[in-house]
Amino acid sequence: MFARLSLAANTTFARAYGREESVSWRLPDSSEHGDATTTIALSAAKTIGKPPREIAETLAADLRGVEGVMKVEVAGAGYVNVWLTSVALVDELDETTKALNKKPASKDPPVIVEYSQPNIAKPLGAHHIVGTVLGQALSNVYEHMGFPVLRWNYIGDWGTQFGKLAVAFEKWGSGKPVLQYTLDELLDLYVKFNAEAENDPSLDSEGREAFRKLEQGDKELRAFWQDVVSVTKSSLADIYERLHVKFDLDLGESFYEDKMESILNEGKKKGVFVEGEEGSLIAQFAPETNLPPYLVQKKDGATLYSTRDLAQMRYRIDTYNPQEILILTDIAQKLHFEQLVATCQLLGWTLPPFENVLFGRMRFADRSMSTRKGNILKLEHVLDEAVSRAREVIRTHRDTIDTRDEDALAEMMGVGSLVYGVLSQNRKQDLVFDWDKMLSFEGNSAPYLMYTHARACSVLRKGEHKGDFTFGKNLPESLSSAERSLIQALLAFPNALEESRKTAMPHILANALFALCQAFNHFYHTEAILKAEAKLKELRLALTALTAQVLRTGSSLLTLVLPDQM
Ligand code: ARG
């Protein structure tokens, strides 16, 4: 960004101080501070041995002669702020236009993004939306920027709970085949098992025994398990479709069943896995790590979640040699992954860059959305609630909303509001969901994004504009402050994309889109677009077209679809 300014500033540093610098410029936080700003004078002051303001003045003096520079100011402790001419500023929009295009996938090894990871035989809970859409958005951003991505659903399809479910099915099942069960019915069986087991502890050992048999390949239990997996996967498919979520692989925990023994042997041989209580196996870590021991095999020889995660890491490294692995989970799994990584290191494995992308807990401001004891709040139910609330909103705004297909719009807006409710929040904090905010037409919400996009499209339709955003050289001498702010909001897009990717925080992109909506609406209310004189009209329509496209592309990376009309 601002290549010409960087070149000029580098030259100043070479000439005045004999230093090789690569000076970077960024957009100021507020358009009052110009179009581009740099802190180089502050950061280089120490090594150069001169006061920052003096360096800033030297730089400013040189910049004043650079083509495309309209005004330069030294501010505060030594910031250099630059205002560009309209031609130079509009030229910068090239970067934004380029960032709209999806880069072809490189030939590099893949980035593995693991997300959603539901457990079989249970419907998706409301909280699953967080990791599911965060993971999808991150995958989309990576892919857009030319990284080959493997989107991985690591399904929880193995473990003692299947033994329990099998026992419950046997004892209290209705007699119909598993394939005819709904997920809710399967969940009921599981809940009943747990309730009964509180009074009758022998049930638990029956459950464990059934799972042991399943592990050993019992034919009937295998067939039962397989059917449970099918019932679950087909019900997941519906929700994933509504959320625009897609995976390349759904290899779950069961896949690693035959890949754990060799790892257990390797660990024993290397002295990493040692005997814990009653013949179990554990990994222990150096005291300074502060990590508690990691149980990798139970005393009855059964493997665990941890054992499968070790196998999963080994398999991914051996099979894909990934350039990076991201695993999205909520904060509750932080310790588990720290222990996992520490264990891999003790085993002497070379791991690719790995991040456990953590997110906070989800909470509804509305008390009616909390769960009663023992019940899970189903995601499907929450999505339906969102759609019916969106329908209400559409009906109350009947006078301003113009749509031919109310059902489609309600689905888009309802689901979109929840999804955007996740992606516009900083994932590192607890995520709070407030229906009024999510469905508002004014704040940082999906409806606001949709409405702004539809507004831009409507301007283009009325102006019979084809939506292309090439900017001619025939530009007005000066830009209004609304135009300048809009251009700056458009310029923020490429950087927001890259920052979202690097930090695994899609809310950075969401915030940039929100700021763009605000700048566009301000521009729309301040400037005449269609009635402006020819030269201005051309510029303003092109800015409108570019705004619409940035909103569309950015939103689609966040899994949202925006209507052209509403
Ligand atoms: N299925 C697990 C759960 O619901 C999450 C899996 C996270 N990923 C992993 N590789 N352990 O708790």
Side-chain angles (χ1 to χ4, degrees), residues 215 253 260 281 295-298 302-309:
E215 274 193 304
E253 295 184 37
M260 289 181 278
L281 274 186
L295 184 64
V296 296
Q297 189 174 36
K298 291 199 210 167
T303 56
L304 300 105
Y305 183 57
S306 54
T307 333
R308 289 185 280 282
D309 255 334

Side-chain angles (χ1 to χ4, degrees), residues 114 117 119 154 305 309 312 327 329 333 337:
E114 188 209 289
Q117 316 112 313
N119 296 327
Y154 181 70
Y305 183 57
D309 255 334
Q312 162 276 105
I327 296 183
T329 68
Q333 303 220 17
F337 281 100

Side-chain angles (χ1 to χ4, degrees), residues 484-496:
R484 208 165 262 276
S485 300
L486 177 57
I487 295 174
Q488 290 181 352
L490 288 164
L491 289 177
F493 176 66
N495 199 38

Side-chain angles (χ1 to χ4, degrees), residues 310-565:
L310 283 165
Q312 162 276 105
M313 279 290 197
R314 187 70 264 164
Y315 176 80
R316 287 174 183 172
I317 298 170
D318 293 342
T319 314
Y320 299 102
N321 179 33
Q323 59 171 297
E324 197 177 348
I325 300 179
L326 304 178
I327 296 183
L328 285 90
T329 68
D330 78 11
I331 190 89
Q333 303 220 17
K334 184 165 183 271
L335 175 63
H336 163 76
F337 281 100
E338 286 170 359
Q339 292 170 305
L340 176 65
V341 169
T343 307
C344 294
Q345 282 161 351
L346 287 179
L347 287 166
W349 297 357
T350 315
L351 292 185
F354 167 78
E355 190 183 346
N356 177 206
V357 177
L358 292 166
F359 49 85
R361 273 173 246 270
M362 173 183 199
R363 181 159 56 78
F364 276 92
D366 180 347
R367 298 248 313 283
S368 75
M369 297 308 287
S370 65
T371 45
R372 260 144 282 147
K373 202 165 171 263
N375 280 339
I376 67 164
L377 178 59
K378 288 199 295 169
L379 180 52
E380 193 189 352
H381 172 79
V382 177
L383 290 179
D384 291 345
E385 172 82 20
V387 173
S388 84
R389 282 176 187 260
R391 199 184 304 275
E392 277 306 302
V393 170
I394 294 167
R395 289 190 180 149
T396 44
H397 286 75
R398 254 285 158 251
D399 47 332
T400 45
I401 291 185
D402 165 25
T403 178
R404 260 165 247 122
D405 191 344
E406 191 182 289
D407 285 343
L409 184 61
E411 172 77 15
M412 225 186 256
M413 213 161 105
V415 175
S417 295
L418 272 175
V419 168
Y420 191 79
V422 175
L423 296 176
S424 57
Q425 297 191 55
N426 182 337
R427 65 171 166 82
K428 295 189 180 175
Q429 293 157 7
D430 280 353
L431 295 105
V432 183
F433 288 78
D434 180 330
W435 288 116
D436 291 337
K437 258 197 213 154
M438 286 188 292
L439 285 162
S440 145
F441 276 86
E442 264 118 55
N444 190 3
S445 67
Y448 182 63
L449 213 68
M450 293 177 165
Y451 197 74
T452 308
H453 174 257
R455 169 176 276 170
C457 290
S458 146
V459 172
L460 296 173
R461 272 194 304 274
K462 286 189 195 133
E464 289 174 7
H465 190 272
K466 293 201 189 61
D468 63 287
F469 31 79
T470 39
F471 296 88
K473 292 282 166 219
N474 186 18
L475 294 167
E477 235 350 79
S478 66
L479 296 166
S480 71
S481 96
E483 285 163 341
R484 208 165 262 276
S485 300
L486 177 57
I487 295 174
Q488 290 181 352
L490 288 164
L491 289 177
F493 176 66
N495 199 38
L497 260 185
E498 175 60 8
E499 282 301 306
S500 295
R501 189 191 68 77
K502 279 206 304 226
T503 58
M505 306 233 264
H507 80 285
I508 296 175
L509 174 58
N511 284 344
L513 298 181
F514 174 52
L516 176 56
C517 287
Q518 289 180 306
F520 177 76
N521 285 316
H522 175 64
F523 162 83
Y524 175 88
H525 289 301
T526 326
E527 310 293 355
I529 303 176
L530 299 174
K531 294 205 174 98
E533 55 93 2
K535 204 199 281 188
L536 279 178
K537 179 172 165 185
E538 194 188 317
L539 169 70
R540 291 176 183 169
L541 277 173
L543 288 175
T544 303
L546 183 55
T547 299
Q549 188 57 55
V550 169
L551 290 179
R552 256 190 316 270
T553 303
S555 299
S556 80
L557 296 175
L558 301 178
T559 77
L560 303 178
V561 188
L562 304 181
D564 290 348
Q565 188 173 348

Side-chain angles (χ1 to χ4, degrees), residues 54-68:
E54 187 187 318
I55 302 173
E57 292 294 355
T58 308
L59 181 54
D62 281 4
L63 288 167
R64 286 188 185 103
V66 171
E67 192 193 332

